[in-house]
Amino acid sequence: MAFVGKAKKAAQHFETPEEMYLRGGLPRTGEAVPSLWLHQGDVIRAYAEKHQATADLALELPTGTGKTVPGLLIGEWVRRKGEGPVLYATPTKQLAKQVAAAAKREGVPVALLIGSHTGWDLADATAVESGEAIGVVTYNAIFNSNPHVPVPRLVIFDDAHAGEQFVGHEYGVDIRRSDDEDAYLSVLAALKPFLSGLLLQRLEGVPDPGAHHQVRLILPAADPHALAALDATLVKLPKPYKFELAMVRAGLASCLVYLSYGGIQIRPMIPPTFENRVFTQARQRIYLSATLGAGGELERAFGRREITRMPLPGKTPPRSGRRLFVFPDLVAGGDGMALTRRLVGLTDKALVLSQDTVARARATAESLAGKDVPVFGRDELEEEGLEAFAIAKTGVLGLANRYDGMDLPDHACRIVVLDGKPDAVGLQEKFLSERAEANAALSERIRSRIVQGAGRSTRGPNDYAVVIVRGADITKYFSRQDNISALEPEIQAEVQFGWANSRGANPDDVVENVATFLAHDKEWRENGEELVSEFREDAVKVEPPATEPLGKAAPLEVEAWNLAYSGDWTGASGKLREAVVHVGPEATRGYRGLLLYIAGVWLHLGAKDETERARARELVREAALAANRGTWLREMLPLYAADEIEVAPMDVVAVNEIITRLRGRLRPSVITAELAEMQAALAQNEAARYERGLTILGKYLGAAASKPKGQARCDSAWEWGTALWLTVEAKSEEREDGLLPAKDIRQANTQLDQLAHDRGADHAPAGSVVVLLSERLAVDPQHASIAQPYVYLTSPDVVLGMVGDVTAVWANLLTAATGQMSETDQRKHLRSVLGDNGCLPSQVVDRLTQNRIRPGD
């Protein structure tokens, strides 16, 4: 039979989205949620009462508490008012499909517009344009050089906390050497004016141990001829690079170049979204976010000066699903990988999230999958969709850099593996983290990725999942109390409960505990759940000290990059200098130094007279003073007529020492033999040989290197006169809990004082450091605070990288020493070779001091 109803009339108007929902304004499907959660209704009501006209609004709805339904209801309410098209944007196609399915269940009319616009259904595109349906799109449908979606009345960005990854990366050219070496080498050739001959040779050649150790920053605008050559090279690149270039070519002069052996990234720090008509002409932009940090992350990611934050109304946060954190690297026995395999084997179903390459993420998944357990990766996800994995009885899905946009609720997947710390998604992040010591600017982003990744399988209050935290770097991240304190109290409690039940535990007991959790029966509820609640009682969220200053600086930074993109160098420099006023605290020193340097270069580009040029040079000098690790500044082209960055005293000592050797009775065969001995010694673990290798390394870095005599002394001490001392100790012993014991920290605290006593000095030179080398050790949060601020924990892999660099340096020096070269020229050449290979003492200290043990410093 055919149903007959009343004649159609204009869509009914409702005062609020909540009223539309409650009064049955949406068609009933039988699959819709029974009712809104309390917090969802609170958010919708607050929007209708206070923020209908707010141009940029961020709504906080934590992971697993239902962002999609409130977003759809707000969008549908605005659509029904007939004020123009509505777009709902998601980071990925997979999430777009999930949103469209949710809309269908709720009776919200949507049209799915994903993939190339040439493949869109004309009826769907027309329905969105005319306001008959909400357009569900991906971010890149909006953020591209020629968007084909209509200018909307409202655009809603789901998972907006991932904005940097899905907006910032769209504005730039990203070349991975492993994907296209021809493109890499052609752009590398265009960057030749910014590189020394030796560095260019190493980057062009086959990889060596030291070639990967750092990311270089280049400001191409500093050399107009080189900038023109770079532009000409980029224009000749094939797809997809020509589309990427189209996003930034108009402002290429304002872009930064990040260069490493593995890739080249060319982009502005903040995307010029002001040029995008779909984005900027929308009357309102709503950002749905799991976390609303106050450090300006949203503003920088989307290039907006001001985004109003609307936290969850009410004081009682919604309940999330329960997560059981497990730290396999802390468990007794030391084989975290074997334990992870056992835990995954309990269900033979797991999601593995990594920041590594797609190929390595899949390889990790394969290593964790049991016999006959299928492995899924990016290709399967794109071809078959997430549903194929969700409904599979068994399987391990390995994905790289995908911390958002995947819902695996209920029984779809009970185990999530966080494989490594997500702090280097792209070369810009890697530079900020490792070279500029601007981790404060990344902390909010890293925290969001970890929380999002951990919540992929806890999508509702009744969900539960095991979160396996695997890898030394992410384990160290959770060993810092300041990182834990920045989390919401509920997840703080889960992390601390997991740490307490992993540290030094018997692997069999951990497996048994996880099995109990997965059963989720009376035994877990009466024991485990009660213990987690005890940790929850003491958990208090504390914002990191850098949050407030970074939040105040963000609007000024956005203005600065917009002005630079438009070619107003003087105005852009002025805005950055205003931002620098806010990023003065110790926690943001590295970021301050970077902003000062860029402000100096921009002012120099726009200078109208010598007074402004002098001020530009002064800004560069201020940058060197501000930055904790300013060695990257010595790699930059000097401003015209600028004084060189002041040479660090320890670098002067090293150059003098090596020059004396080179101009004395040089014995190349002895040097070659010692370098070979050093390489072999530092590639193995036997203590006496390793100590000898460290001392040889220090010697060839221009230090007076020795093994101090006596009990409980370091393995090697490197002294650059009275300018700087560095002591190194390798910790190779296995610990049941995988943590650095308090006695080792206390011993490290005394090393510089003992060395000073040996030398008859009252104390070590200012800036001297103690380095503990360990492959897998983290530090117990209870013990970290006893460490002196000059004590650091470093991987032996960093030393291996330095071995390759030192070997390359001396191969060059021995060749050059055989020719005719004046002492002045030889000294200049030596400084250049050491600097290009990261082997000046100031650079060596940078490389060995990435991870300070003591929190808060």
Side-chain angles (χ1 to χ4, degrees), residues 71-85:
L72 285 170
L73 292 180
I74 290 173
E76 175 61 4
W77 182 57
V78 171
R79 184 193 71 81
R80 288 186 177 216
K81 292 198 292 183
E83 297 175 355

Side-chain angles (χ1 to χ4, degrees), residues 394-412:
T394 62
V396 179
L397 171 59
L399 296 174
N401 302 321
R402 288 287 300 275
Y403 300 93
D404 297 277
M406 291 177 294
D407 288 351
L408 293 166
D410 303 323
H411 298 284

Side-chain angles (χ1 to χ4, degrees), residues 557-576:
E557 291 176 52
V558 170
E559 288 188 62
W561 284 95
N562 288 351
L563 290 168
Y565 194 85
S566 303
D568 183 355
W569 300 114
T570 304
S573 176
K575 288 297 179 183
L576 275 195

Side-chain angles (χ1 to χ4, degrees), residues 460-541:
N462 296 319
D463 275 347
Y464 54 95
V466 178
V467 179
I468 301 174
V469 179
R470 179 180 174 273
D473 55 352
I474 193 168
T475 301
K476 289 174 184 176
Y477 177 87
F478 281 110
S479 75
R480 297 186 67 91
Q481 186 57 50
D482 48 348
N483 290 332
I484 297 175
S485 298
L487 299 169
E488 293 297 329
E490 192 68 35
I491 196 169
Q492 278 191 50
E494 293 170 334
V495 167
Q496 291 173 328
F497 176 80
W499 187 278
N501 284 277
S502 298
R503 178 187 171 186
N506 184 290
D508 293 337
D509 292 339
V510 173
V511 173
E512 183 180 349
N513 288 343
V514 171
T516 299
F517 175 80
L518 289 172
H520 228 68
D521 54 16
K522 182 179 179 181
E523 184 178 357
W524 166 256
R525 290 192 300 272
E526 293 184 354
N527 295 299
E529 195 65 49
E530 183 177 339
L531 294 174
V532 173
S533 66
E534 292 178 4
F535 283 98
R536 175 65 180 82
E537 291 175 3
D538 298 328
V540 178
K541 182 177 180 179

Side-chain angles (χ1 to χ4, degrees), residues 665-676:
R665 185 178 177 184
L666 196 63
R667 301 171 63 187
S669 60
V670 173
I671 292 174
T672 302
E674 282 194 321
L675 291 172

Side-chain angles (χ1 to χ4, degrees), residues 367-700:
S367 68
L368 294 176
K371 184 179 180 182
D372 299 324
V373 174
V375 174
F376 299 77
R378 181 190 65 179
D379 294 342
E380 288 83 359
L381 195 69
E382 292 181 352
E383 291 175 9
E384 306 170 27
L386 186 64
E387 185 66 16
F389 171 72
I391 64 175
K393 291 185 177 179
T394 62
V396 179
L397 171 59
L399 296 174
N401 302 321
R402 288 287 300 275
Y403 300 93
D404 297 277
M406 291 177 294
D407 288 351
L408 293 166
D410 303 323
H411 298 284
C413 182
R414 296 290 192 198
I415 296 179
V416 176
V417 181
L418 298 181
D419 188 33
K421 187 174 76 164
D423 63 346
V425 179
L427 293 180
Q428 177 169 281
E429 288 189 12
K430 190 173 177 64
F431 174 80
L432 289 172
S433 173
E434 297 180 3
R435 302 301 314 285
E437 200 184 17
N439 284 297
L442 300 176
S443 62
E444 192 174 311
R445 195 178 301 172
I446 296 167
R447 188 163 58 250
S448 290
R449 288 173 187 158
I450 289 175
V451 172
Q452 286 298 293
R456 290 304 91 204
S457 293
T458 45
R459 312 309 299 156
N462 296 319
D463 275 347
Y464 54 95
V466 178
V467 179
I468 301 174
V469 179
R470 179 180 174 273
D473 55 352
I474 193 168
T475 301
K476 289 174 184 176
Y477 177 87
F478 281 110
S479 75
R480 297 186 67 91
Q481 186 57 50
D482 48 348
N483 290 332
I484 297 175
S485 298
L487 299 169
E488 293 297 329
E490 192 68 35
I491 196 169
Q492 278 191 50
E494 293 170 334
V495 167
Q496 291 173 328
F497 176 80
W499 187 278
N501 284 277
S502 298
R503 178 187 171 186
N506 184 290
D508 293 337
D509 292 339
V510 173
V511 173
E512 183 180 349
N513 288 343
V514 171
T516 299
F517 175 80
L518 289 172
H520 228 68
D521 54 16
K522 182 179 179 181
E523 184 178 357
W524 166 256
R525 290 192 300 272
E526 293 184 354
N527 295 299
E529 195 65 49
E530 183 177 339
L531 294 174
V532 173
S533 66
E534 292 178 4
F535 283 98
R536 175 65 180 82
E537 291 175 3
D538 298 328
V540 178
K541 182 177 180 179
V542 179
E543 289 286 356
T547 299
E548 184 178 356
L550 286 171
K552 290 179 178 178
L556 297 162
E557 291 176 52
V558 170
E559 288 188 62
W561 284 95
N562 288 351
L563 290 168
Y565 194 85
S566 303
D568 183 355
W569 300 114
T570 304
S573 176
K575 288 297 179 183
L576 275 195
R577 281 177 277 163
E578 289 182 49
V580 163
V581 172
H582 298 293
V583 290
E586 183 69 22
T588 53
R589 278 189 64 191
Y591 196 58
R592 173 186 173 87
L594 179 61
L595 295 187
L596 279 168
Y597 176 76
I598 296 172
V601 173
W602 285 352
L603 181 58
H604 192 266
L605 290 172
K608 299 180 181 65
D609 52 41
E610 182 54 33
T611 300
E612 289 187 342
R613 283 188 283 273
R615 176 58 181 140
R617 296 192 291 271
E618 181 61 28
L619 286 171
V620 172
R621 286 190 287 270
E622 288 178 19
L625 294 173
N628 287 334
R629 297 190 178 109
T631 55
W632 59 270
L633 282 163
R634 299 186 182 94
E635 302 162 0
M636 313 303 289
L637 285 184
L639 300 183
Y640 177 72
D643 298 330
E644 288 191 20
I645 300 295
E646 185 178 348
V647 180
M650 72 284 290
D651 295 345
V652 174
V653 173
V655 169
N656 289 340
E657 171 63 26
I658 295 173
I659 282 291
T660 300
R661 292 189 65 188
L662 291 175
R663 300 190 71 81
R665 185 178 177 184
L666 196 63
R667 301 171 63 187
S669 60
V670 173
I671 292 174
T672 302
E674 282 194 321
L675 291 172
E677 181 187 356
M678 171 191 72
Q679 289 176 306
L682 295 178
Q684 56 83 59
N685 295 321
E686 196 275 316
R689 285 187 66 197
Y690 198 89
E691 291 171 5
R692 167 70 177 157
L694 286 172
T695 296
I696 296 174
L697 177 59
K699 173 183 175 182
Y700 283 91

